[in-house]
RNA sequence: GGGUUCGUAGCCUAGCCUGGUAGGGCGAUGGUCUCCAAAACCAUCGAUCGUCGGUUCAAAUCCGAUCGGGCCCA
């Protein structure tokens, strides 16, 4: 695969992603300065993930905001395919969703697609994906969502609620649509073919517009949803997309929950975090200290720096100093890694405590079938 | 229901026709080198060849059954 090639699908991400090209390819909208300004004025906050382009693209986010200003409330929807334990990259859209919920005081649905991971991963059983769904739910709850306004959907558990909606959707999507959208072939099992209608279902679970913060790789599902929304008398879901979080071992792919090494899990101990970062994090440093002092490092490809930018250092001035110091060669890669390790462990310490408490709270978050 | 094809280390795969206990690539691990990581270079680990049975002195290789995956037809 050459440098300018990349693949982004809901099941596979590969290569060095050019996000401008991706916007063009997917037909989404880049988040404009005007939109940023609008969000800022409506929330009274300049969220670092927006400011820094971690969320970089959208579909009709402006419509959602305009409607909201007219007094029409929306709701939020995001989710996770429970194919493994939660890693820090998964937290990006969730944290952002939490922020949106706080700012707009709206309902949020979180879908755990245990059926989909069972369909798409040959080596996972339904029992395993259900178990991961529970584990992932704990991480989600640990972020502090409002239980009054937040419901967790587990596909196999909530099928009764989802199915009537999914049926409406499924009738409007034919095999050619899914083939074109997802690259399905005759080998694809029929669970996968139907599945997209279940991922669409929560979009219409309330009779209000929906805004979906999510990783851009999941966009294709909602492209289909948007295509058929009017046909079933519903509004198109609006989306806001975040970039793929690079694996520890380097750019050229998102963090995969199935690759132990290149991944920081939310349950990792401080020692493990330290070891993983030091041992695996791809650096933008020079081959030796002398050259590094002289030539400086490249924070733009340095994974440790990227993690700080994406998640762990919301303070712009601190981040800027790290950027400049690293670029100038003042800051060594080992030192940069130490900063990140400290930040991650600080975060995980409280996260893990909240995650423990979540075991007691989970019941009140799970959606009840009506 | 009929047909067909495949099942070899974590992954991909050679070998099967012409039986003599398996070879490669990726990955992983360790080392050298680096402030780390990467790259590079060394080195190492790893498969009783889906399962059961048969033929044979000897089977991943032949035969039968069975389980599992794929495709085609109905």
């Amino acid at each position: 695969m050459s440098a300018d090639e990349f693949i982004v699908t809901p099941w596979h991400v590969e290569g060095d992603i050019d996000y401008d090209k991706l916007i063009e390819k997917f037909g989404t909208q880049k988040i404009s300065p005007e939109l940023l300004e609008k969000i800022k004025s409506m929330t009274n906050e300049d969220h670092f993930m927006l400011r820094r382009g971690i969320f970089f693209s959208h579909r009709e986010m402006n419509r959602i905001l305009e409607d909201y200003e007219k007094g029409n409330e929306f709701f939020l929807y995001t989710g996770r395919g429970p194919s493994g334990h939660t890693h820090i990259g998964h937290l990006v859209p969730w944290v952002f969703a939490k922020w949106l919920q706080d700012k707009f005081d709206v309902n949020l649905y979180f879908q755990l697609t245990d059926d989909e991971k069972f369909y798409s991963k040959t080596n996972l059983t339904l029992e395993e994906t259900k178990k991961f769904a529970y584990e992932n739910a704990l991480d989600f709850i640990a972020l502090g969502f409002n239980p009054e306004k937040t419901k967790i959907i587990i596909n196999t558990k909530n099928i009764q609620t989802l199915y009537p909606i999914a049926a409406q959707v499924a009738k409007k999507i034919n095999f050619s649509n899914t083939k074109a959208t997802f690259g399905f072939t005759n080998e694809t099992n029929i669970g996968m073919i139907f599945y997209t209608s279940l991922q669409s279902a929560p979009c219409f679970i309330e009779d209000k517009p929906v805004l979906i913060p999510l990783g851009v790789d999941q966009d294709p599902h909602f492209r289909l949803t948007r295509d058929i929304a009017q046909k079933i008398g519903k509004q198109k879901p609006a989306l806001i997309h975040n970039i793929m979080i690079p694996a520890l071992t380097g750019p050229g792919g998102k963090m995969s929950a199935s690759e132990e090494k290149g991944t920081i899990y939310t349950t990792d101990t401080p020692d493990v975090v330290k070891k993983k970062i030091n041992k695996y994090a791809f650096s933008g440093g020079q081959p030796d200290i002398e050259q590094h002092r002289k030539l400086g490092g490249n924070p733009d490809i340095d994974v440790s720096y990227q993690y700080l930018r994406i998640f762990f250092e919301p303070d712009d001035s601190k981040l800027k100093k790290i950027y400049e110091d690293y670029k100038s060669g003042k800051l060594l890669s080992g030192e940069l890694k130490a900063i990140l390790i400290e930040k991650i462990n600080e975060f995980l310490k409280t996260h893990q405590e909240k995650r423990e408490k979540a075991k007691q709270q989970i019941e009140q978050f799970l959606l009840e079938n009506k």
Side-chain angles (χ1 to χ4, degrees):
Chain A
M1 173 171 293
S2 69
D4 59 340
E5 280 181 292
F6 58 89
I7 299 169
V8 178
T9 75
W11 298 283
H12 183 68
V13 176
E14 189 183 330
D16 205 353
I17 303 162
D18 179 330
Y19 286 101
D20 284 332
K21 275 189 189 162
L22 190 64
I23 284 174
E24 205 178 310
K25 208 165 149 185
F26 278 15
T28 67
Q29 243 59 56
K30 189 169 187 159
I31 296 179
S32 65
E34 293 74 28
L35 181 58
L36 274 184
E37 200 50 46
K38 177 135 190 134
I39 298 170
K40 196 168 144 188
S41 74
M42 287 178 76
T43 59
N44 293 313
E45 194 178 327
D46 184 9
H47 193 101
F48 75 94
M49 286 183 185
L50 286 166
R51 195 170 60 222
R52 294 178 189 168
I54 310 309
F55 280 84
F56 70 105
S57 157
H58 78 288
R59 306 182 103 114
E60 291 192 301
M61 170 96 178
N62 41 350
R63 189 198 80 209
I64 294 288
L65 296 178
E66 282 158 22
D67 279 3
Y68 185 83
E69 281 180 318
K70 291 177 197 156
N72 299 317
E73 209 176 65
F74 61 93
F75 68 99
L76 294 159
Y77 158 40
T78 188
R80 148 96 176 129
S83 58
H85 290 288
T86 314
H87 60 61
I88 54 177
H90 295 128
L91 267 27
V92 170
W94 306 356
V95 164
F96 189 68
K98 163 83 166 65
W99 180 77
L100 289 171
Q101 183 182 49
D102 289 346
K103 291 297 174 182
F104 293 98
D105 190 32
V106 293
N107 289 342
L108 167 66
Y109 295 85
F110 184 72
Q111 183 183 36
L112 287 159
T113 63
D114 56 343
D115 55 339
E116 181 251 340
K117 287 304 165 192
F118 169 63
Y119 293 141
S120 64
K121 303 275 180 183
T122 49
N123 53 347
L124 283 180
T125 64
L126 249 191
E127 286 65 37
E128 287 169 326
T129 58
K130 276 167 99 165
K131 190 196 77 194
F132 285 133
Y134 172 81
E135 294 293 326
N136 295 164
L138 296 179
D139 288 296
F140 173 78
I141 293 165
L143 297 177
F145 290 90
N146 176 356
E148 299 298 313
K149 290 184 169 274
T150 308
K151 285 299 162 203
I152 295 174
I153 298 168
I154 298 175
N155 279 180
T156 56
K157 173 178 179 286
N158 295 118
I159 189 64
Q160 190 184 332
T161 302
L162 298 177
Y163 196 70
I165 312 172
Q168 296 291 337
V169 174
K171 193 172 181 178
K172 300 297 179 192
I173 298 175
N174 65 32
F175 191 27
S176 296
N177 298 150
T178 64
K179 277 202 215 172
T181 306
F182 303 114
F184 289 163
T185 65
N186 284 346
E187 304 177 27
T188 309
N189 68 62
I190 63 171
M192 294 285 283
I193 295 160
F194 175 76
Y195 169 73
T196 193
S197 52
L198 273 177
Q199 185 151 328
S200 288
C203 295
F204 310 120
I205 201 163
E206 287 193 22
D207 197 19
K208 288 178 191 166
V210 62
L211 174 65
I212 310 172
L214 81 175
V216 69
D217 58 323
Q218 295 299 314
D219 181 75
H221 279 117
F222 300 104
R223 234 144 56 201
L224 280 180
T225 315
R226 287 171 55 83
D227 279 350
I228 61 90
Q230 279 128 329
K231 294 181 183 175
I232 61 170
K234 303 286 186 185
Q235 289 196 59
K236 292 182 176 186
L239 311 167
I240 180 164
H241 309 103
N242 64 265
I243 59 171
M244 297 292 94
I245 311 309
L248 265 191
T249 47
K254 73 169 173 178
M255 248 197 194
S256 165
S258 46
E259 282 170 37
E260 290 279 334
K261 315 290 182 294
T263 308
I264 306 283
Y265 293 103
T266 56
T267 49
D268 282 345
T269 62
D271 279 355
V272 169
V273 170
K274 184 169 186 224
K275 191 179 168 193
K276 282 183 177 172
I277 298 292
N278 279 328
K279 198 166 165 57
Y280 300 114
F282 182 80
S283 104
Q286 299 296 340
D288 61 51
I289 202 162
E290 200 178 322
Q291 290 187 66
H292 193 272
R293 293 289 187 211
K294 193 172 146 203
L295 302 169
N298 182 355
D300 295 318
I301 61 165
D302 187 283
V303 171
S304 301
Y305 175 79
Q306 291 307 318
Y307 279 23
L308 290 170
R309 181 176 85 91
I310 292 168
F311 198 93
F312 291 102
E313 183 49 87
D315 185 323
D316 273 11
S317 60
K318 285 182 186 167
L319 187 74
K320 186 163 182 245
K321 182 160 176 16
I322 292 168
Y323 185 92
E324 285 168 355
D325 286 352
Y326 193 60
K327 194 150 189 144
S328 74
K330 187 176 164 193
L331 189 68
L332 297 177
S333 300
E335 293 165 346
L336 173 58
K337 287 187 174 185
I339 295 172
L340 178 66
I341 291 164
E342 167 84 29
K343 283 280 180 187
I344 293 179
N345 282 334
E346 193 184 316
F347 171 83
L348 286 184
K349 186 171 183 293
T350 52
H351 181 81
Q352 286 166 4
E353 287 168 10
K354 291 182 191 162
R355 194 178 186 281
E356 272 307 304
K357 286 188 190 140
K359 292 176 182 171
Q360 260 63 60
Q361 301 169 284
I362 190 162
E363 282 305 321
Q364 55 180 317
F365 278 96
L366 296 178
L367 180 75
E368 291 300 323
N369 288 315
K370 287 184 189 114

